Amino acid sequence: MDRMFRVLGFWTGIFAVMFYLGDMKTTSLLFFGQTGFFVFLSYLNLSERMYIYIFGAYLTVFFVGFTYWTTFMMIPGQAVGH
């Protein structure tokens, strides 16, 4: 299970670099933070159950934040910067 967190760290790192190259600095910083978080967790050698609990908590926080942002912060039909 620790290797899967390294895989998550790898892919979030790839996304962070692509966001940075696309001139999306804030998003790239968010993904660099996630990369560090996943790689750090992968070297803690926790039990598989604990890795599942941490991943479940991560998904819960993400979905709550994403739902809040899309419901209350985004303006329907308005594209920023276009």
Side-chain angles (χ1 to χ4, degrees):
M1 189 55 112
D2 55 341
R3 290 182 181 161
M4 288 311 298
F5 273 79
R6 288 186 200 127
V7 170
L8 285 170
F10 170 78
W11 284 111
T12 54
I14 294 295
F15 274 81
V17 169
M18 297 301 268
F19 282 131
Y20 182 77
L21 293 175
D23 203 32
M24 299 173 73
K25 306 273 191 273
T26 307
T27 309
S28 69
L29 286 175
L30 178 67
F31 272 77
F32 277 125
Q34 289 181 23
T35 300
F37 174 71
F38 286 138
V39 171
F40 171 74
L41 282 177
S42 71
Y43 286 106
L44 289 181
N45 292 328
L46 302 172
S47 67
E48 187 168 347
R49 179 178 293 204
M50 195 61 184
Y51 279 121
I52 294 296
Y53 287 156
I54 290 171
F55 188 66
Y58 168 78
L59 286 180
T60 302
V61 169
F62 168 77
F63 284 128
V64 167
F66 182 77
T67 303
Y68 174 79
W69 182 264
T70 56
T71 303
F72 299 112
M73 302 301 283
M74 292 182 71
I75 300 171
Q78 180 179 0
V80 178
H82 296 294

